[in-house]
Amino acid sequence: EAQVTQNPRYLITVTGKKLTVTCSQNMNHEYMSWYRQDPGLGLRQIYYSMNVEVTDKGDVPEGYKVSRKEKRNFPLILESPSPNQTSLYFCASSHLELTGFPTEAFFGQGTRLTVV
Amino acid sequence: GQQLNQSPQSMFIQEGEDVSMNCTSSSIFNTWLWYKQDPGEGPVLLIALYKAGELTSNGRLTAQFGITRKDSFLNISASIPSDVGIYFCAGHWGTYKYIFGTGTRLKVLA
């Protein structure tokens, strides 16, 4: 079954304690990205990756890091989480269209993060 | 930065009614996407549009890529209770970044 898998689904942590949210896809997609979703703001892109070792900032990258060492995995790293990073996070993946651009087609189930 | 205005923010409709929602962008988009999100789930892609003027259907859903390339519309015909959820538009303007609208929350009265 084609899927994007995020772990954990729920996480409560304390300010400043480094954490990693994992994301894995089994569709051999080139493009992967991370979003955060906050009430009234929709989804905002944090980082995206065009392929292995190719990553770039989205609209809200501050306070986050990513890595793409393997095609299937795209972890989101919060080096020093703060309460304003409390949010619902989604990982997504897609292939690249003939245009060379992605169609954001597959989203994970989400990770609800609370930073206290 | 780029902005997407999605309207309406929420709507109540009677079962069987048709629904329309739209998104407008402050700049020209190359791709428009429409998603539905159910509570506790990730967004699910409904329709993808790649050309200005394109009209695409997916069952009872029809979406159009506006001629100006700055807007898109989603119509749902003969709504049913399972149409309840949040609908998002999204798009990009020829970069690899995606922008999402703030969503239209649809509530159906049976």
Side-chain angles (χ1 to χ4, degrees), chain A residues 9 31 35 37 40-43 45 48 50 57-59 88 90 96-97 100-105 107-110, chain B residues 2 30-31 33 35 37 40-45 48 50 86 88 92-103:
Chain A
R9 292 290 309 275
Y31 185 86
Y35 294 85
Q37 184 174 24
L41 295 178
L43 286 89
Q45 195 172 41
Y48 63 89
M50 294 297 296
K57 297 177 181 177
D59 276 340
L88 179 60
F90 288 101
L96 298 178
E97 303 290 340
F101 294 101
T103 297
E104 284 282 37
F107 280 79
Q109 293 281 76
Chain B
Q2 302 294 329
N30 286 359
T31 300
L33 307 175
Y35 297 86
Q37 185 178 28
E41 303 289 331
V44 173
L45 181 64
Y50 301 103
I86 305 177
F88 290 100
H92 74 80
W93 58 97
T95 70
Y96 300 103
K97 289 187 188 181
Y98 265 92
I99 285 192
F100 278 71
T102 52

Side-chain angles (χ1 to χ4, degrees), chain A residues 6-69:
Chain A
Q6 293 179 230
N7 280 298
R9 292 290 309 275
Y10 303 91
L11 179 59
I12 300 175
T13 190
V14 296
T15 299
K17 186 177 180 182
K18 181 178 178 180
L19 67 91
T20 299
V21 183
T22 63
C23 174
S24 180
Q25 50 96 2
N26 62 0
M27 296 164 281
N28 202 35
H29 286 162
E30 298 88 0
Y31 185 86
M32 297 184 73
S33 55
W34 276 101
Y35 294 85
R36 61 177 289 172
Q37 184 174 24
D38 301 291
L41 295 178
L43 286 89
R44 293 180 293 167
Q45 195 172 41
I46 303 171
Y47 268 95
Y48 63 89
S49 169
M50 294 297 296
N51 215 321
V52 175
E53 303 291 3
V54 182
T55 64
D56 207 347
K57 297 177 181 177
D59 276 340
V60 288
E62 295 77 21
Y64 304 95
K65 285 175 55 177
V66 292
S67 70
R68 188 91 181 272
K69 293 184 171 60

Side-chain angles (χ1 to χ4, degrees), chain B residues 64-76:
Chain B
Q64 185 163 25
F65 194 138
I67 290 292
T68 66
R69 296 171 64 190
K70 290 186 176 183
D71 57 7
S72 180
F73 306 87
L74 176 70
N75 295 318
I76 304 173

